[in-house]
Amino acid sequence: MKFPSSAVFLFVAAGASSLMLAATASAAGKWVIPVDEGTGSTEFVAVGNPTAIRIRGTAERPKGKLTIDGASVSGTITVPVASFDSGLALRNQHMKQKYMEVDKYPDVAFSLTSLGSLDKVTESKDFSSEVPFDGKLKIHGVEKGVQGKAKVARKGDSVSVAAAMKINIRDFNIEVPTFAGVTVTNDVDIKVEFTAPMRAQ
Amino acid sequence: MKTKILFSVVGTLLLSATAHAFPEMVRHGYAACVTCHVSPDGGGVLTWYGREISGAALSTWGGREKSYWGPEQKEHHETFFAWDLITPPEWLLLGGDVRLNRIQYRTQDGGSASRLILMQADLEAAAKFKKLTIDATIGRDENAREIFSRRHFLKYQLNNRTTVRFGKFFHAYGIRMPEHAVSTKRGLGWDQGSESYNIEGALVDSNYDVFLTALLSRPETKGQNGMVFGEDESGFSARASTFLAEKYKIGASFFTGSTKSTDKTILGPFAMLGFTPHFTVLSEFDFTNLKLKSVTKDPGWGLVSFNKADYELIQGLHAFATYETYRPAFSDSTSGVNTLGAGLQWFPRPHFELQTVWKNDKPVGATEGSHYFFLMAHFYP
């Protein structure tokens, strides 16, 4: 059976167009970032007064799932308060039990509501930039809007995010930690990093 | 041999008689001494926070393990002054140091002997009135066998970060540490009991600190027979350091001054490195130019150094090794001592410290060094 050359051309052209359309739809379409499946770290830094001590703490890596759907992004990542570690058992107990009230509020949750350059993140498999983000941070049962900048890097099918923000603990109804004459200042720096797969849906 | 034995005994007698700052705490993020001590440069009476940390991070047992906040904050606790048998008002901080040293050394006939010596018995009080703090010790000078005050000063807090201080205390130079007999303390003329009258300005931030000190005078240090150990000294000292990632403190110091017999210029870097919550390295190198006034020839520069690696085996129990160099002048290739040391330090419960140390002093060019050993018990009420 012999096909006319024009039919072959039309078939190839249609196929190619379909593939291109599919690829475009995928790039701009729905993507999932399962943060659970990746690696990462959580860090916080607070300063004590009047004694010039900087307290650098760590916590478990963030867990959760982020979804990119066209121009919008959603999803929540959480970090368990029980995993907070300031380097001293006494201080950990003080922080978690008295101030963070871990039994009542076991997780810190961050819901992402917008992220800059989303189109580039989804379209390019080799992208790296610092982009603004907005979200809602829930600590100690209080949810507040937060903004910051995140370094986002996509390499092939994985994405790395490093976000930093400064919060005022009083905004979250956390009593200012005071112990034996040392008071922690209201501002606490938080840094969250993760690398996770990025999958088209 | 006789000289070696004498050196060992004197060295041991004067070892570890002052105290109280533990720079190894940098491994827990305590790069600034003022977190735990009233003195901006560390040492001496503890703040309330310092007492709690001594139980929580320094001692094997005795820290709070259960809930301790709220109204029960005022509950009796082991870390408080004298186990809370005496409860001073909040504005008054009390402390002190009692040190006993058991020395083992060789006698001239080749045998061995030991002595138990009361090295230090001081009480210290710091009273805070708004921004003004008055701090003073009273104790017994075991060399002169008389009552004296090792340290006393007025401190004024200009703001959260800045203080000015006047009185008798050690000027800030290098690493403030208990080991006063090491080359970077005794070797520089700043041994036990050589606190001077100073005016000091200190800026202590969470990222850095700067100390500027004018040394006005220093009382001569005398023994029972009137022998002078330390001469009057005046000069100027500066020390600045930065804190990197909270657990690394790196800085440099400078001193210029003179005693009756010597003109001194000293400068060099130091580092306190808390590599892990258990492993700390302390290191100080000081280049020295010590000119005797009676000699016209400048001996040129020399070097003293102190290096210590400390590993916390379990909380409160430390194994450590030290290495010191003392080269008063590079131009004199026969003068100097290298000292290797090792020991164990244990803080079983708040208020108690035990230390056992072996050291080997080896003069430059010698094939054999002299060994000495001591066991020290320290009680800080």
Side-chain angles (χ1 to χ4, degrees):
Chain A
M1 191 173 183
K2 190 179 180 185
F3 291 101
S5 58
S6 57
V8 174
F9 172 77
L10 282 172
F11 179 79
V12 171
S17 301
S18 300
L19 285 172
M20 286 171 67
L21 280 170
T24 307
S26 179
K30 197 169 180 180
W31 296 77
V32 170
I33 302 171
V35 180
D36 283 359
E37 296 177 21
T39 58
S41 63
T42 308
E43 190 178 279
F44 57 90
V45 177
V47 175
N49 266 331
T51 55
I53 178 176
R54 284 169 69 84
I55 300 161
R56 185 180 294 271
T58 58
E60 274 184 9
R61 67 187 175 88
K63 290 182 180 174
K65 188 172 81 173
L66 299 177
T67 303
I68 301 170
D69 191 355
S72 68
V73 61
S74 62
T76 299
I77 57 174
T78 61
V79 176
V81 174
S83 71
F84 284 22
D85 182 8
S86 71
L88 281 179
L90 173 75
R91 196 162 54 201
N92 287 344
Q93 193 183 41
H94 207 186
M95 170 177 62
K96 289 188 266 191
Q97 299 289 342
K98 182 180 181 187
Y99 295 104
M100 299 293 289
E101 298 185 276
V102 61
D103 295 335
K104 282 166 71 179
Y105 312 108
D107 291 315
V108 168
F110 176 72
S111 302
L112 188 63
T113 55
S114 80
L115 183 69
S117 302
L118 261 187
D119 52 341
K120 290 175 184 166
V121 175
T122 53
E123 285 169 15
S124 171
K125 287 200 168 188
D126 187 10
F127 169 78
S128 179
S129 183
E130 189 172 70
V131 297
F133 69 84
D134 287 285
K136 288 179 179 173
L137 185 63
K138 192 172 185 181
I139 303 176
H140 197 236
V142 177
E143 191 171 73
K144 300 285 289 186
V146 291
Q147 293 83 39
K149 285 198 169 180
K151 286 180 184 169
V152 178
R154 185 176 172 194
K155 284 276 181 194
D157 292 328
S158 85
V159 64
S160 298
V161 177
M165 64 188 98
K166 188 186 284 288
I167 64 159
N168 183 328
I169 59 172
R170 298 292 293 155
D171 290 343
F172 297 91
N173 282 349
I174 298 172
E175 192 183 333
V176 176
T178 300
F179 179 61
V182 174
T183 299
V184 174
T185 54
N186 291 346
D187 292 333
V188 175
D189 291 308
I190 299 174
K191 191 175 175 185
V192 177
E193 294 181 359
F194 66 82
T195 299
M198 184 170 165
R199 297 191 190 114
Q201 291 283 290
Chain B
M1 186 66 181
K2 188 176 173 182
T3 309
K4 283 182 186 174
I5 291 169
L6 182 66
F7 183 83
S8 299
V9 172
V10 171
T12 308
L13 282 173
L14 297 181
L15 205 64
S16 290
T18 191
H20 340 162
F22 296 107
E24 290 87 354
M25 289 297 285
V26 74
R27 71 187 189 278
H28 290 303
Y30 294 100
C33 307
V34 73
T35 307
C36 295
H37 294 275
V38 169
S39 166
D41 184 36
V45 73
L46 292 164
T47 61
W48 283 105
Y49 190 85
R51 283 195 171 276
E52 292 289 0
I53 291 300
S54 79
L58 202 63
S59 306
T60 304
W61 302 293
R64 294 173 189 268
E65 292 169 356
K66 303 291 180 187
S67 300
Y68 57 90
W69 42 82
E72 65 271 33
Q73 272 211 10
K74 292 188 185 302
E75 75 183 8
H76 161 84
H77 192 259
E78 185 176 341
T79 61
F80 292 173
F81 176 72
W83 295 272
D84 208 24
L85 295 172
I86 301 166
T87 307
E90 217 167 282
W91 52 268
L92 182 63
L93 296 167
L94 299 173
D97 294 279
V98 178
R99 286 170 183 273
L100 287 165
N101 207 341
R102 185 171 181 89
I103 307 153
Q104 192 78 30
Y105 58 96
R106 285 184 185 174
T107 56
Q108 291 182 29
D109 58 8
S112 68
S114 63
R115 290 176 63 193
L116 185 66
I117 300 162
L118 176 63
M119 305 294 298
Q120 183 184 10
D122 285 338
L123 279 174
E124 184 166 5
K128 187 174 182 183
F129 307 102
K130 294 185 177 176
K131 293 183 175 183
L132 183 70
T133 301
I134 303 169
D135 185 304
T137 69
I138 185 162
R140 182 171 163 81
D141 183 339
E142 286 303 311
N143 287 325
R145 302 278 173 95
E146 59 188 24
I147 301 296
F148 85 131
S149 176
R150 188 181 306 280
R151 178 174 54 248
H152 43 263
F153 59 81
L154 292 172
K155 181 181 84 170
Y156 188 77
Q157 193 86 34
L158 294 172
N159 55 46
N160 269 350
R161 301 189 305 160
T162 316
T163 56
V164 290
R165 189 160 60 134
F166 170 72
K168 186 185 176 198
F169 53 89
F170 274 120
H171 63 285
Y173 186 95
I175 302 173
R176 168 71 58 234
M177 55 190 174
E179 295 94 344
H180 67 94
V182 300
S183 57
T184 51
K185 297 298 176 201
R186 177 177 296 166
L188 298 176
W190 300 322
D191 199 351
Q192 164 78 4
S194 59
E195 290 92 342
S196 50
Y197 281 96
N198 310 317
I199 296 176
E200 172 195 84
L203 172 60
V204 182
D205 184 78
S206 57
N207 294 306
Y208 62 88
D209 63 17
V210 179
F211 289 79
L212 302 174
T213 313
L215 284 77
L216 307 177
S217 72
R218 182 170 76 188
E220 289 182 337
T221 315
K222 291 180 180 173
Q224 307 172 53
N225 54 5
M227 189 171 77
V228 174
F229 290 126
E231 293 180 333
D232 187 10
E233 184 173 55
S234 60
F236 171 77
S237 174
R239 193 188 76 185
S241 57
T242 184
F243 312 156
L244 305 173
E246 290 79 47
K247 295 179 181 176
Y248 303 90
K249 183 173 181 175
I250 295 170
S253 311
F254 170 78
F255 173 84
T256 181
S258 60
T259 66
K260 281 180 188 170
S261 64
T262 312
D263 288 324
K264 292 184 185 177
T265 302
I266 305 166
L267 68 156
F270 66 91
M272 297 154 55
L273 309 171
F275 288 110
T276 74
H278 299 284
F279 180 54
T280 315
V281 169
L282 307 177
S283 189
E284 181 177 334
F285 288 82
D286 295 310
F287 294 93
T288 63
N289 182 238
L290 309 173
K291 280 188 282 194
L292 286 172
K293 290 179 176 175
S294 57
V295 178
T296 51
K297 188 184 173 190
D298 186 341
W301 290 88
L303 174 71
V304 298
S305 75
F306 173 79
N307 303 281
K308 180 179 182 183
D310 180 291
Y311 190 82
E312 189 181 44
L313 302 167
I314 56 169
Q315 182 166 319
L317 178 62
H318 300 250
F320 62 85
T322 58
Y323 184 72
E324 302 165 43
T325 57
Y326 175 69
R327 290 290 305 276
F330 292 126
S331 57
D332 181 357
S333 59
T334 61
S335 175
V337 179
N338 297 318
T339 304
L340 190 63
L344 291 171
Q345 184 180 33
W346 187 31
F347 300 88
R349 300 197 79 91
H351 309 289
F352 294 104
E353 175 195 1
L354 296 167
Q355 196 174 145
T356 178
V357 179
W358 160 83
K359 287 208 174 190
N360 175 236
D361 288 325
K362 191 172 171 186
V364 170
T367 54
E368 191 186 344
S370 58
H371 302 264
Y372 53 95
F373 170 85
F374 74 90
L375 179 66
M376 189 270 294
H378 175 205
F379 168 61
Y380 51 104

